[in-house]
Amino acid sequence: MSNEISGNEIRRQFLEFFESKGHTIVRSASLVPTGDSTLLFTNAGMVQFKDIFLGTDSRPYSRACDSQKCMRVAGKHNDLDDVGRDDRHHTFFEMLGNWSFADYYKKEAISWAWELLTKVWGLDPTKLYATVFKDEKGEIPADEEAYAIWCSQPGMDPSHVQYFGRKENFWEMADTGPCGPCSEIHIDLGPDACDMKDVPGHVCKVNGDCARYTELWNNVFIQYNRLDKDTLVPLAHKFVDTGMGFERIVAVLQHKNSNYKTDLFAPTMRVLRELTGKTEEEMYADFTPYRVIADHGRAAAFLIADGVTPGNVGRNYICRMIIRRAVRFGQQIGLNDAFMGKIADAVIESYGDAYPELRRNRKAIIDAVDWEEARFKKTLDNGIAHLNDIIEGLKKEGKTVIDGATCFDLHSTYGLPLEITRDLVRDQGFDVDRDGFLAAQEDHRKASGKGSFKSMNSDDTEIYDGYLKQLISDGKLPEGKVVQDPYTLKPVDTNAVMLIREGEPVSSLDEDDEAEIVVPVTGFYMEMGGQIGDRGTIIAEDGSEFTVESVRKPCAGLIVHRGKMTKGSIAVNDKVKVEVDSRYRHDIMRNHTATHLLHAALHQVVGPEARQAGSYVSDTRLRFDFNSNKALTQDQLTEIENIVNENILSDQIVYTKIENINDAINEGVTALFNEKYGEQVRVVRIGENGNISAELCGGTHVANTGEIGLFVIVSEGSVATGIRRIEAITGREASARVRKAAGNLRTLASIMSVPTEEVVEKVEQNQQALQKAVKDIADFKAKLALSKFDELKKKTVTIDDTDVLAVQVPDATPDTLREMADRFKNEHPNAVGVFSTILNNQAVFIVNVADELVKRGIKAGDIAKQISAVAGGSGGGRPTMAQAGGKIPEKIPESLDMAVKLIREKLGK
Ligand SMILES: [Zn+2]
Ligand SMILES: [Zn+2]
């Protein structure tokens, strides 16, 4: 059906509809949530607005709409098992949403939802249902307001507005905090959509068990704050938070009975049919593998675009697991050649317009999935064989669950993620211990020195919010917040409006008190975007001094200086001078600007796929992590150093400008995947017109690159799978290091009595002389050993017609032993020679047997093998000549005795 509305068009219509109702269209946040370390992935539209609901931040708009990238892999919202087995579950999906931040409320939200569904998209009102909240316990008031608004919508059948209880229609963020009733819109897809027709007694209904009535859209009305289990207080500012599953509305509007049959997945399904040679009918007959590959391939492309590469823990593990799971399902439908790159390409084709980060990172995405697919295939056969052994063992023991440690070993040693192990064993009636696996994984992470996720600390937000309100109502913060300007570096003359000790406001601070000070205006920079915070002082008129160790923002609008009274005392409202430690700050700024130059040089030398994966800027060094599977060569590192230092020597201008986010991104400014950006962003440019570097950045920078002085790379290495790290130094630190190296060189030169420029040549000469001396000594020792041969020969034992010499030769090399063996053989026609020595603290044996004796069953290889075993080693060789080693040189005499004994036995003596 070519005249059917496309998915991209539906997304655009949603956003434009709400834009026409005064909403600001907001970009989707990254799949990697910032500022919320409790969350593995962004899993709902509201994640990027959570701080507004919690009251810790604000936005320049009060109405917003977006299409948010979401990922749900495990936990209460989703079970990976469902993905692929049915037509509506996904790991990655999009959530359409509109928000009111203390602006419009139920009346507008409901009537706009109705207008969009029935007027713009033309859905039949008689097929639509609305649910509203009525507390089954009778404690919270029923949402009669929403009920009445729904009944008054044009074409709404009042019998289609139905009350439900807490489970369905009351939304809470957590055990405490913002909450409220919600209202869902469901659609009746008709009796054919019921997938439970065969179940006796089944009745199709809203919020029932079958697929006939499907939820389209949830409108949450946040009107309470939950203080504890029993106490709800009304919020002064009410919010609307809505979410509509994008894939589902597309399926409904395109009249498809499966999300996977919509045009969103069409390019992927086309590629899969081309690769398998199957028709559409054949594909639908065995649709599960196709659904899994389409879902996981899409999720992997979006994850990698947001900087999450395949790896062993956390988000990286999820990325690895879904790629591998897709590859395995591919094998089920006969895809034995690499195919994941083609799937990723199809995803980029479908989604590249709406999510330009996919196009920008195309090479990184395809490289990562190709690499992961190839790596997995190398280990898959071994992994499956090992798993089969485990299953056989469990069957004998009568067990049906594979324990966590074994599951983790299957993952870490055999490359089988837990989810794939479960896929593989499920049909045989086995299960896996997920909790045990997670525990083993966590132990491993701790052992490898990486911290676990810390929980969010919002403990004192409310208290400090109270202090802020107090200061505002006392008129002490004329701007309604603490004004921060870290960019000018001028001391600020102001007064100390609040002193806080042990969390409580106090009237004065005495010497040695550890405390926090609030001033209306500050020039301090707070740790952010990888740049460490400032240090400095707050000095009173009488010279009393408070040393500032750090700066923090306990709630929106309030910045506090943390530190210690190092001299004298300060009282509330004293006049003070707030001064950032300028020398310290300049060291930081040098490193930050150098980080931008390094980033640009990396793109030049390695390519745009070397994307920033993290950065840390302090006063002493800078650290830059980027995506790459290969180590940089020494030549590349030198080239990068040269480029950065060229840009320093040519003293480029560094300047900043506040711009609209979309303009900046369209101009090609480098934005980071894991940062959250507002509407207005700060762009830091280096060079005229920013030709050298242009990055979104809130950090502080030098005015001209010449101030950096010198840039030196001190290390390059791997920090995680696919992530490399460069550490570098600048300015004072770099020149100190260079001076120290020069001093060492002068010392070396004076020890060797040559000018500094001849040190390298001199060292090379000395090395050659040393090597020659070592060799001369070895030759000399060998000659000395050979000269003792006549002496050693006296130990020859004669057994009938056979001469046996089994001796230990001091200070010999294997060559000397071999030469002795040859001589002995030449001198004695029926000879067995066993020569041994100690080399590098190991036993060495050479066994030599005359041809004549070989015919009589004496074989050098056999003897070498047996006698070296005595000395804790092994060896072997030809029947006439063999060599062996042993770890226990003290056992050489015992080995030699055994040799003689063995020969005697063979000769029958
Ligand atoms: Zn049904
Ligand atoms: Zn920066």
Side-chain angles (χ1 to χ4, degrees):
M1 284 196 282
S2 57
N3 58 346
E4 144 189 299
I5 182 171
S6 73
N8 283 327
E9 184 69 4
I10 292 167
R11 188 191 298 108
R12 199 177 59 76
Q13 287 183 355
F14 175 87
L15 296 173
E16 285 178 357
F17 175 80
F18 281 101
E19 192 178 35
S20 78
K21 307 290 184 192
H23 290 61
T24 299
I25 300 177
V26 176
R27 300 176 74 85
S28 170
S30 166
L31 282 169
V32 179
T34 47
D36 186 345
S37 49
T38 59
L39 206 56
L40 197 58
F41 292 112
T42 299
N43 60 6
M46 65 89 64
V47 170
Q48 68 165 319
F49 302 116
K50 195 168 164 184
D51 48 5
I52 308 181
F53 296 124
L54 291 169
T56 54
D57 205 352
S58 62
R59 295 285 193 284
Y61 41 77
S62 58
R63 298 178 181 190
C65 62
D66 72 357
S67 166
Q68 173 64 50
K69 301 182 278 188
C70 297
M71 184 89 189
R72 291 180 187 172
V73 191
K76 66 173 178 179
H77 287 300
N78 201 6
D79 189 346
L80 193 73
D81 270 358
D82 296 333
V83 175
R85 290 185 198 279
D86 68 19
D87 287 303
R88 47 181 200 272
H89 281 90
H90 301 287
T91 52
F92 170 90
F93 60 96
E94 290 174 80
M95 185 79 98
L96 303 173
N98 57 290
W99 281 269
S100 158
F101 307 120
D103 188 324
Y104 63 83
Y105 207 46
K106 292 176 192 174
K107 185 163 159 286
E108 295 85 348
I110 290 173
S111 50
W112 289 337
W114 190 253
E115 184 186 340
L116 178 63
L117 293 175
T118 61
K119 293 271 158 27
V120 179
W121 286 339
L123 291 177
D124 179 357
T126 66
K127 298 279 188 265
L128 296 176
Y129 289 74
T131 67
V132 283
F133 174 66
K134 185 186 240 168
D135 189 8
E136 64 273 29
K137 294 185 187 165
E139 293 166 2
I140 309 169
D143 194 356
E144 286 164 3
E145 187 188 356
Y147 183 89
I149 296 167
W150 276 119
C151 290
S152 71
Q153 296 307 309
M156 173 58 103
D157 176 348
S159 74
H160 285 197
V161 185
Q162 301 175 358
Y163 279 113
F164 285 90
R166 293 187 183 198
K167 184 169 151 278
E168 291 85 7
N169 283 65
F170 197 81
W171 178 88
E172 311 209 35
M173 189 188 287
D175 293 341
T176 60
C179 58
C182 61
S183 198
E184 293 173 349
I185 305 161
H186 295 245
I187 187 165
D188 176 2
L189 296 173
D192 285 348
C194 175
D195 50 1
M196 297 179 72
K197 291 187 201 96
D198 304 336
V199 178
H202 168 73
V203 180
C204 302
K205 60 181 184 211
V206 170
N207 281 329
D209 301 319
C210 74
R212 175 172 170 182
Y213 291 90
T214 295
E215 182 201 331
L216 286 181
W217 200 344
N218 191 7
N219 279 241
V220 181
F221 305 118
I222 303 174
Q223 62 189 62
Y224 302 112
N225 186 18
R226 183 178 283 287
L227 301 180
D228 59 47
K229 199 163 70 54
D230 305 311
T231 322
L232 286 180
V233 294
L235 285 170
H237 299 297
K238 298 185 174 101
F239 302 103
V240 176
D241 159 16
T242 88
M244 170 155 56
F246 176 61
E247 288 77 4
R248 193 169 298 175
I249 187 69
V250 171
V252 167
L253 294 176
Q254 294 183 353
H255 311 288
K256 294 285 167 26
N257 61 2
S258 165
N259 296 356
Y260 293 95
K261 293 179 183 172
T262 63
D263 74 327
L264 299 174
F265 290 98
T268 302
M269 294 303 178
R270 205 179 307 126
V271 167
L272 284 173
R273 281 200 308 278
E274 278 165 20
L275 291 171
T276 56
K278 294 276 160 65
T279 64
E280 212 161 276
E281 289 66 36
E282 288 167 329
M283 174 175 80
Y284 292 151
D286 179 22
F287 205 19
T288 297
Y290 295 85
R291 284 185 293 226
V292 172
I293 296 166
D295 175 88
H296 290 11
R298 180 174 72 160
F302 272 92
L303 280 176
I304 297 163
D306 276 351
V308 181
T309 49
N312 273 337
V313 287
R315 299 177 180 114
N316 308 90
Y317 170 78
I318 302 295
C319 184
R320 162 160 293 167
M321 182 271 288
I322 56 173
I323 294 173
R324 292 185 172 201
R325 196 163 182 259
V327 171
R328 203 191 71 77
F329 273 91
Q331 291 191 332
Q332 280 188 13
I333 50 172
L335 299 179
N336 293 317
D337 294 333
F339 67 96
M340 285 299 287
K342 297 193 177 86
I343 301 300
D345 221 8
V347 173
I348 297 167
E349 179 198 327
S350 309
Y351 286 90
D353 287 339
Y355 297 97
E357 61 268 35
L358 291 168
R359 290 236 163 88
R360 264 202 315 276
N361 297 308
R362 185 171 177 277
K363 186 169 185 315
I365 295 168
I366 298 199
D367 282 355
V369 296
D370 280 349
W371 192 73
E372 186 62 23
E373 180 174 21
R375 212 175 123 129
F376 180 47
K377 281 187 172 160
K378 269 189 205 158
T379 60
L380 184 59
D381 289 344
N382 265 340
I384 290 178
H386 183 63
L387 179 60
N388 287 337
D389 290 347
I390 292 169
I391 295 287
E392 286 313 309
L394 288 179
K395 278 181 187 162
K396 281 178 197 138
E397 294 171 41
K399 290 181 183 158
T400 58
V401 177
I402 308 177
D403 68 80
T406 305
C407 289
F408 182 71
D409 182 54
L410 276 165
H411 167 52
S412 61
T413 311
Y414 295 89
L416 284 185
L418 177 78
E419 292 75 4
I420 295 180
T421 300
R422 187 180 50 187
D423 287 340
L424 288 166
V425 302
R426 196 155 82 153
D427 295 340
Q428 303 180 58
F430 286 83
D431 203 353
V432 294
D433 175 7
R434 162 173 282 275
D435 291 341
F437 173 83
L438 293 175
Q441 198 178 31
E442 182 64 22
D443 286 350
H444 177 78
R445 173 165 47 202
K446 277 186 191 142
S448 56
K450 290 184 187 144
S452 57
F453 294 107
K454 272 186 289 179
S455 60
M456 191 169 78
N457 176 13
S458 59
D459 284 358
D460 55 3
T461 301
E462 234 168 293
I463 298 168
Y464 279 82
D465 200 44
Y467 297 162
L468 175 68
K469 295 209 169 81
Q470 186 64 46
L471 286 168
I472 295 169
S473 73
D474 292 349
K476 289 183 174 172
L477 294 178
E479 303 274 335
K481 61 177 184 180
V482 173
V483 177
Q484 189 190 22
D485 176 15
Y487 303 118
T488 54
L489 256 187
K490 283 197 201 100
V492 180
D493 289 309
T494 178
N495 44 345
V497 293
M498 185 175 271
L499 309 171
I500 302 163
R501 198 176 55 209
E502 287 166 5
E504 303 271 344
V506 292
S507 57
S508 67
L509 295 177
D510 296 323
E511 200 156 311
D512 287 339
D513 276 353
E514 294 189 354
E516 291 173 331
I517 297 185
V518 181
V519 292
V521 184
T522 180
F524 274 73
Y525 185 85
M526 197 170 59
E527 172 151 0
M528 207 169 44
Q531 177 181 334
I532 62 166
D534 281 330
R535 294 194 311 222
T537 49
I538 295 176
I539 303 173
E541 282 185 315
D542 67 355
S544 293
E545 191 172 316
F546 181 84
T547 301
V548 180
E549 285 150 13
S550 66
V551 189
R552 69 183 190 113
K553 192 179 188 179
C555 66
L558 188 69
I559 291 165
V560 300
H561 301 76
R562 239 181 192 178
K564 190 173 176 180
M565 270 317 291
T566 35
K567 197 164 88 187
S569 62
I570 281 180
V572 170
N573 295 333
D574 275 0
K575 285 200 167 142
V576 291
K577 187 186 279 292
V578 178
E579 203 166 348
V580 172
D581 180 338
S582 158
R583 186 180 151 100
Y584 178 77
R585 165 70 89 75
H586 270 101
D587 286 335
I588 298 170
M589 296 198 296
R590 273 188 266 277
N591 282 332
H592 199 150
T593 308
T595 305
H596 287 211
L597 289 177
L598 167 63
H599 193 181
L602 263 171
H603 282 201
Q604 227 175 304
V605 175
V606 181
E609 64 273 21
R611 292 175 301 144
Q612 175 164 355
S615 113
Y616 174 78
V617 174
S618 78
D619 56 324
T620 55
R621 71 204 164 98
L622 66 95
R623 196 169 77 197
F624 190 81
D625 296 346
F626 58 100
N627 295 90
S628 174
N629 284 323
K630 277 193 301 235
L632 295 178
T633 63
Q634 189 52 51
D635 283 349
Q636 285 178 313
L637 288 171
T638 307
E639 195 183 346
I640 288 167
E641 258 184 354
N642 285 342
I643 293 171
V644 173
N645 281 307
E646 265 314 307
N647 285 327
I648 291 170
L649 289 175
S650 54
D651 200 19
Q652 302 290 333
I653 184 170
V654 183
Y655 63 103
T656 59
K657 209 173 121 198
I658 305 295
E659 290 177 27
N660 177 277
I661 174 88
N662 295 315
D663 296 345
I665 288 186
N666 290 339
E667 279 170 38
V669 170
T670 308
L672 302 186
F673 64 84
N674 59 350
E675 288 294 326
K676 185 164 69 184
Y677 297 111
E679 291 305 290
Q680 297 295 311
V681 292
R682 185 167 177 269
V683 180
V684 177
R685 288 189 168 81
I686 304 178
E688 300 295 337
N689 312 318
N691 57 325
I692 292 171
S693 157
E695 279 194 40
L696 298 189
C697 174
T700 63
H701 290 268
V702 295
N704 295 84
T705 57
E707 292 176 51
I708 297 168
L710 177 64
F711 170 86
V712 177
I713 293 176
V714 292
S715 72
E716 192 273 348
S718 162
V719 274
T721 312
I723 307 225
R724 309 289 306 178
R725 167 173 295 174
I726 285 180
E727 289 193 307
I729 52 180
T730 67
R732 246 190 285 281
E733 195 77 21
S735 66
R737 181 176 288 230
V738 169
R739 280 199 307 270
K740 185 160 183 238
N744 287 342
L745 184 65
R746 276 195 302 277
T747 309
L748 273 177
S750 92
I751 291 171
M752 295 183 168
S753 309
V754 293
T756 49
E757 52 273 21
E758 285 172 25
V759 164
V760 172
E761 199 185 328
K762 184 77 182 168
V763 168
E764 278 168 1
Q765 282 170 8
N766 286 356
Q767 281 300 105
Q768 280 168 10
L770 185 64
Q771 273 168 16
K772 186 173 180 306
V774 168
K775 190 176 178 297
D776 287 348
I777 291 170
D779 289 350
F780 180 71
K781 276 189 177 170
K783 276 188 191 129
L784 201 67
L786 268 180
S787 73
K788 287 185 190 150
F789 183 55
D790 288 334
E791 190 68 27
L792 289 167
K793 267 196 310 201
K794 290 177 186 158
K795 295 188 183 166
T796 304
V797 181
T798 305
I799 307 166
D800 284 350
D801 59 344
T802 304
D803 292 324
V804 180
L805 178 56
V807 285
Q808 179 169 355
V809 188
D811 289 330
T813 62
D815 281 344
T816 321
L817 297 185
R818 236 172 264 124
E819 197 172 336
M820 285 184 178
D822 281 345
R823 277 199 202 175
F824 187 66
K825 195 174 170 182
N826 290 338
E827 291 170 17
H828 299 259
N830 274 347
V832 179
V834 181
F835 297 90
S836 176
T837 191
I838 301 173
L839 191 72
N840 301 327
N841 219 14
Q842 306 257 326
V844 179
F845 300 98
I846 298 284
V847 182
N848 199 338
V849 176
D851 296 342
E852 191 55 35
L853 293 173
V854 173
K855 287 178 198 150
R856 286 155 68 181
I858 301 177
K859 287 182 184 144
D862 294 347
I863 296 173
K865 194 172 170 190
Q866 292 193 48
I867 66 173
S868 61
V870 175
S874 62
R878 288 177 287 123
T880 52
M881 172 63 105
Q883 181 167 352
K887 287 194 227 50
I888 319 166
E890 298 77 28
K891 296 264 188 174
I892 289 176
E894 211 175 300
S895 299
L896 296 175
D897 288 347
M898 181 168 189
V900 178
K901 198 169 139 240
L902 284 170
I903 294 159
R904 272 187 204 285
E905 278 167 15
K906 286 281 179 197
L907 294 172
K909 298 283 157 184

